[in-house]
Amino acid sequence: MCPSLVPFPVSSNYGGEKITTLIISEDSGSEDLETLAIAVHSVIGLPTTIRSLKRKGLRLEKGQILDRDYTGPVLEEVLKTNQVVHKVPTEGVYRGKHVVVAPIHSKNGKIIAALGVVDILATIDLQSVFQEYTSVLEEVEDAKK
């Protein structure tokens, strides 16, 4: 069976032990990428997008798959440049919002897909957050004395 046609994890034998694997390739479609996209989205809870090199993928928000034929300008850029990209797109569904998109590589290092999320950290002033955190810790330590 062609790896891009394996829609769900499959069992195989590896060294005599039966293991379950998930196979994606540059030809994977939304059905092939769904379990990975749902896992990432469930962990981070942020809008999540994914697509393979040759086929469109998924867009998830608020625990729902909103689009099963999705691509966006930053996903496309990452597939061309093979680099992690942090930017605010000027077009598409996430225009005006900070996003970060990373390439997904095969075992031999070839780019096969791109995965992106809305980047809420880009909108937070981390320096002030950590300064506030330090002052809170100092207050707690002083209160213990």
Side-chain angles (χ1 to χ4, degrees), residues 14-114:
Y14 181 76
E17 182 180 338
K18 192 172 186 178
I19 61 170
T20 301
T21 59
L22 174 66
I23 300 171
I24 64 171
S25 73
E26 64 186 14
D27 292 308
S28 294
S30 59
E31 64 282 354
D32 306 315
L33 302 169
E34 187 171 328
T35 57
L36 178 59
I38 289 172
V40 170
H41 182 65
S42 297
V43 168
I44 63 174
L46 298 171
T48 304
T49 61
I50 189 170
R51 67 155 295 159
S52 69
L53 184 64
K54 295 183 179 177
R55 294 179 61 194
K56 293 182 181 178
L58 299 161
R59 179 170 69 94
L60 298 86
E61 292 182 15
K62 299 179 182 176
Q64 301 291 316
I65 296 173
L66 301 179
D67 192 340
R68 292 180 177 278
D69 191 37
Y70 181 78
T71 193
V74 186
L75 288 172
E76 299 286 340
E77 180 178 341
V78 168
L79 291 171
K80 288 178 186 161
T81 65
N82 197 17
Q83 300 290 318
V84 175
V85 173
H86 294 258
K87 76 185 312 181
V88 178
T90 58
E91 60 184 353
V93 175
Y94 299 107
R95 79 177 159 271
K97 293 181 173 48
H98 292 268
V99 300
V100 59
V101 178
I104 298 173
H105 298 101
S106 65
K107 288 181 183 179
N108 65 5
K110 183 178 175 187
I111 187 167
I112 59 172

Side-chain angles (χ1 to χ4, degrees), residues 92-140:
V93 175
Y94 299 107
R95 79 177 159 271
K97 293 181 173 48
H98 292 268
V99 300
V100 59
V101 178
I104 298 173
H105 298 101
S106 65
K107 288 181 183 179
N108 65 5
K110 183 178 175 187
I111 187 167
I112 59 172
L115 173 74
V117 298
V118 170
D119 186 6
I120 60 167
L121 289 179
T123 63
I124 298 172
D125 181 357
L126 291 177
Q127 183 177 4
S128 68
V129 169
F130 284 112
Q131 285 174 346
E132 188 65 31
Y133 178 73
T134 302
S135 66
V136 169
L137 286 179
E138 289 171 359
E139 288 178 28
V140 170

